[in-house]
PDB file of all heavy atoms in Angstrom:
ATOM      1  N   ARG A  52      -3.484 -21.578  -1.066  1.00 94.00           N
ATOM      2  CA  ARG A  52      -2.866 -21.471  -2.389  1.00 94.00           C
ATOM      3  C   ARG A  52      -1.377 -21.808  -2.335  1.00 94.00           C
ATOM      4  O   ARG A  52      -0.869 -22.555  -3.173  1.00 94.00           O
ATOM      5  CB  ARG A  52      -3.061 -20.066  -2.954  1.00 94.00           C
ATOM      6  CG  ARG A  52      -2.427 -19.872  -4.318  1.00 94.00           C
ATOM      7  CD  ARG A  52      -2.585 -18.449  -4.815  1.00 94.00           C
ATOM      8  NE  ARG A  52      -3.967 -18.087  -5.054  1.00 94.00           N
ATOM      9  CZ  ARG A  52      -4.626 -18.346  -6.177  1.00 94.00           C
ATOM     10  NH1 ARG A  52      -4.032 -18.963  -7.157  1.00 94.00           N
ATOM     11  NH2 ARG A  52      -5.878 -17.977  -6.317  1.00 94.00           N
ATOM     12  N   SER A  53      -0.677 -21.311  -1.332  1.00 93.00           N
ATOM     13  CA  SER A  53       0.768 -21.547  -1.249  1.00 93.00           C
ATOM     14  C   SER A  53       1.095 -23.037  -1.069  1.00 93.00           C
ATOM     15  O   SER A  53       2.092 -23.522  -1.597  1.00 93.00           O
ATOM     16  CB  SER A  53       1.386 -20.728  -0.117  1.00 93.00           C
ATOM     17  OG  SER A  53       0.801 -21.073   1.126  1.00 93.00           O
ATOM     18  N   ASP A  54       0.246 -23.781  -0.355  1.00 92.00           N
ATOM     19  CA  ASP A  54       0.448 -25.227  -0.202  1.00 92.00           C
ATOM     20  C   ASP A  54       0.284 -25.945  -1.538  1.00 92.00           C
ATOM     21  O   ASP A  54       1.062 -26.843  -1.870  1.00 92.00           O
ATOM     22  CB  ASP A  54      -0.540 -25.820   0.806  1.00 92.00           C
ATOM     23  CG  ASP A  54      -0.267 -25.398   2.232  1.00 92.00           C
ATOM     24  OD1 ASP A  54       0.875 -24.986   2.535  1.00 92.00           O
ATOM     25  OD2 ASP A  54      -1.201 -25.483   3.054  1.00 92.00           O
ATOM     26  N   LEU A  55      -0.724 -25.544  -2.298  1.00 91.00           N
ATOM     27  CA  LEU A  55      -0.968 -26.174  -3.592  1.00 91.00           C
ATOM     28  C   LEU A  55       0.157 -25.872  -4.580  1.00 91.00           C
ATOM     29  O   LEU A  55       0.635 -26.761  -5.284  1.00 91.00           O
ATOM     30  CB  LEU A  55      -2.313 -25.717  -4.156  1.00 91.00           C
ATOM     31  CG  LEU A  55      -3.543 -26.073  -3.315  1.00 91.00           C
ATOM     32  CD1 LEU A  55      -4.796 -25.472  -3.946  1.00 91.00           C
ATOM     33  CD2 LEU A  55      -3.681 -27.556  -3.136  1.00 91.00           C
ATOM     34  N   VAL A  56       0.597 -24.624  -4.599  1.00 91.00           N
ATOM     35  CA  VAL A  56       1.687 -24.235  -5.499  1.00 91.00           C
ATOM     36  C   VAL A  56       2.973 -24.967  -5.106  1.00 91.00           C
ATOM     37  O   VAL A  56       3.707 -25.461  -5.970  1.00 91.00           O
ATOM     38  CB  VAL A  56       1.884 -22.702  -5.496  1.00 91.00           C
ATOM     39  CG1 VAL A  56       3.157 -22.306  -6.221  1.00 91.00           C
ATOM     40  CG2 VAL A  56       0.673 -22.021  -6.130  1.00 91.00           C
ATOM     41  N   ALA A  57       3.245 -25.095  -3.817  1.00 89.00           N
ATOM     42  CA  ALA A  57       4.440 -25.798  -3.355  1.00 89.00           C
ATOM     43  C   ALA A  57       4.406 -27.265  -3.778  1.00 89.00           C
ATOM     44  O   ALA A  57       5.431 -27.825  -4.202  1.00 89.00           O
ATOM     45  CB  ALA A  57       4.569 -25.686  -1.840  1.00 89.00           C
ATOM     46  N   LEU A  58       3.241 -27.899  -3.703  1.00 86.00           N
ATOM     47  CA  LEU A  58       3.114 -29.293  -4.119  1.00 86.00           C
ATOM     48  C   LEU A  58       3.339 -29.438  -5.621  1.00 86.00           C
ATOM     49  O   LEU A  58       4.041 -30.349  -6.068  1.00 86.00           O
ATOM     50  CB  LEU A  58       1.740 -29.838  -3.733  1.00 86.00           C
ATOM     51  CG  LEU A  58       1.505 -31.314  -4.012  1.00 86.00           C
ATOM     52  CD1 LEU A  58       2.477 -32.187  -3.219  1.00 86.00           C
ATOM     53  CD2 LEU A  58       0.077 -31.695  -3.684  1.00 86.00           C
ATOM     54  N   ILE A  59       2.784 -28.511  -6.394  1.00 86.00           N
ATOM     55  CA  ILE A  59       2.991 -28.537  -7.845  1.00 86.00           C
ATOM     56  C   ILE A  59       4.476 -28.370  -8.163  1.00 86.00           C
ATOM     57  O   ILE A  59       5.056 -29.127  -8.945  1.00 86.00           O
ATOM     58  CB  ILE A  59       2.159 -27.437  -8.537  1.00 86.00           C
ATOM     59  CG1 ILE A  59       0.665 -27.765  -8.446  1.00 86.00           C
ATOM     60  CG2 ILE A  59       2.579 -27.265  -9.997  1.00 86.00           C
ATOM     61  CD1 ILE A  59      -0.244 -26.625  -8.858  1.00 86.00           C
ATOM     62  N   GLU A  60       5.120 -27.400  -7.538  1.00 88.00           N
ATOM     63  CA  GLU A  60       6.527 -27.136  -7.811  1.00 88.00           C
ATOM     64  C   GLU A  60       7.425 -28.287  -7.354  1.00 88.00           C
ATOM     65  O   GLU A  60       8.453 -28.556  -7.968  1.00 88.00           O
ATOM     66  CB  GLU A  60       6.950 -25.819  -7.162  1.00 88.00           C
ATOM     67  CG  GLU A  60       6.331 -24.624  -7.867  1.00 88.00           C
ATOM     68  CD  GLU A  60       6.658 -23.298  -7.223  1.00 88.00           C
ATOM     69  OE1 GLU A  60       7.205 -23.277  -6.096  1.00 88.00           O
ATOM     70  OE2 GLU A  60       6.348 -22.274  -7.848  1.00 88.00           O
ATOM     71  N   ALA A  61       7.045 -28.985  -6.294  1.00 85.00           N
ATOM     72  CA  ALA A  61       7.832 -30.116  -5.815  1.00 85.00           C
ATOM     73  C   ALA A  61       7.811 -31.278  -6.805  1.00 85.00           C
ATOM     74  O   ALA A  61       8.705 -32.122  -6.790  1.00 85.00           O
ATOM     75  CB  ALA A  61       7.300 -30.582  -4.464  1.00 85.00           C
ATOM     76  N   HIS A  62       6.815 -31.313  -7.678  1.00 81.00           N
ATOM     77  CA  HIS A  62       6.693 -32.404  -8.638  1.00 81.00           C
ATOM     78  C   HIS A  62       7.041 -31.979 -10.066  1.00 81.00           C
ATOM     79  O   HIS A  62       6.795 -32.730 -11.007  1.00 81.00           O
ATOM     80  CB  HIS A  62       5.270 -32.975  -8.591  1.00 81.00           C
ATOM     81  CG  HIS A  62       5.025 -33.755  -7.350  1.00 81.00           C
ATOM     82  ND1 HIS A  62       4.624 -33.166  -6.173  1.00 81.00           N
ATOM     83  CD2 HIS A  62       5.164 -35.059  -7.088  1.00 81.00           C
ATOM     84  CE1 HIS A  62       4.516 -34.091  -5.244  1.00 81.00           C
ATOM     85  NE2 HIS A  62       4.837 -35.248  -5.775  1.00 81.00           N
ATOM     86  N   MET A  63       7.633 -30.806 -10.205  1.00 83.00           N
ATOM     87  CA  MET A  63       8.016 -30.349 -11.545  1.00 83.00           C
ATOM     88  C   MET A  63       9.223 -31.141 -12.020  1.00 83.00           C
ATOM     89  O   MET A  63      10.118 -31.464 -11.256  1.00 83.00           O
ATOM     90  CB  MET A  63       8.328 -28.852 -11.529  1.00 83.00           C
ATOM     91  CG  MET A  63       7.088 -28.067 -11.195  1.00 83.00           C
ATOM     92  SD  MET A  63       6.963 -26.419 -11.835  1.00 83.00           S
ATOM     93  CE  MET A  63       7.567 -26.422 -13.441  1.00 83.00           C
ATOM     94  N   VAL A  64       9.227 -31.436 -13.290  1.00 85.00           N
ATOM     95  CA  VAL A  64      10.324 -32.172 -13.907  1.00 85.00           C
ATOM     96  C   VAL A  64      10.931 -31.276 -14.975  1.00 85.00           C
ATOM     97  O   VAL A  64      10.217 -30.727 -15.804  1.00 85.00           O
ATOM     98  CB  VAL A  64       9.801 -33.484 -14.544  1.00 85.00           C
ATOM     99  CG1 VAL A  64      10.913 -34.221 -15.238  1.00 85.00           C
ATOM    100  CG2 VAL A  64       9.126 -34.348 -13.496  1.00 85.00           C
ATOM    101  N   SER A  65      12.237 -31.140 -14.942  1.00 77.00           N
ATOM    102  CA  SER A  65      12.890 -30.298 -15.958  1.00 77.00           C
ATOM    103  C   SER A  65      12.968 -31.056 -17.271  1.00 77.00           C
ATOM    104  O   SER A  65      12.904 -32.285 -17.311  1.00 77.00           O
ATOM    105  CB  SER A  65      14.293 -29.910 -15.499  1.00 77.00           C
ATOM    106  OG  SER A  65      15.151 -31.023 -15.553  1.00 77.00           O
ATOM    107  N   SER A  66      13.149 -30.334 -18.350  1.00 69.00           N
ATOM    108  CA  SER A  66      13.256 -30.981 -19.658  1.00 69.00           C
ATOM    109  C   SER A  66      14.501 -31.856 -19.721  1.00 69.00           C
ATOM    110  O   SER A  66      14.528 -32.865 -20.403  1.00 69.00           O
ATOM    111  CB  SER A  66      13.273 -29.936 -20.769  1.00 69.00           C
ATOM    112  OG  SER A  66      14.354 -29.051 -20.587  1.00 69.00           O
TER     113      SER A  66
END
Side-chain angles (χ1 to χ4, degrees):
R52 179 183 295 276
S53 60
D54 290 339
L55 298 176
V56 170
L58 184 62
I59 291 169
E60 289 177 349
H62 288 85
M63 295 208 40
V64 177
S65 72
S66 59

